[in-house]
Amino acid sequence: MDIPSAVRWFLLAVAAVQLVYAVRALRPALRAVSGERVDAWLAFADPAVGAPVSVALAADHLTAFLCGTAVLGPILAWQLIRSFGRARASTGRTPSRPGPA
């Protein structure tokens, strides 16, 4: 796959920004209490794994990109599942307690 030079530099810049976000998310993840621990670690893992994926894509290293995507996929899926759970909890409706008739 041939990636233009401008796109490579853009992907490297995106990776640098993701590393900054990962460093910023590390302290809250380390200090999270037991009820908030999963969300804090997912907030750290997303940019921490996404940065090497961006670098692998910029370097045109398909094997590293696929391996990183295999790790990043479950992280993003779990974040999506947890966000749906938070949205359901914020509405106050649960399957055992239906809404007003």
Side-chain angles (χ1 to χ4, degrees):
M1 166 169 67
D2 189 29
I3 299 175
S5 180
V7 175
R8 289 181 196 268
W9 284 107
F10 176 74
L11 287 170
L12 291 174
V14 167
V17 169
Q18 286 177 329
L19 283 177
V20 169
Y21 278 115
V23 169
R24 290 181 65 193
L26 182 59
R27 183 175 291 153
L30 291 172
R31 293 185 178 171
V33 295
S34 63
E36 303 167 352
R37 201 169 283 153
V38 173
D39 288 328
W41 280 107
L42 285 174
F44 166 73
D46 180 12
V49 175
V53 169
S54 297
V55 169
L57 187 60
D60 205 19
H61 198 278
L62 186 60
T63 305
F65 173 73
L66 292 175
C67 291
T69 305
V71 174
L72 189 60
I75 292 170
L76 294 176
W78 194 246
Q79 281 182 332
L80 183 66
I81 290 167
R82 290 190 61 89
S83 70
F84 285 151
R86 279 192 303 271
R88 177 174 280 179
S90 69
T91 60
R93 296 182 123 193
T94 58
S96 62
R97 191 185 81 199

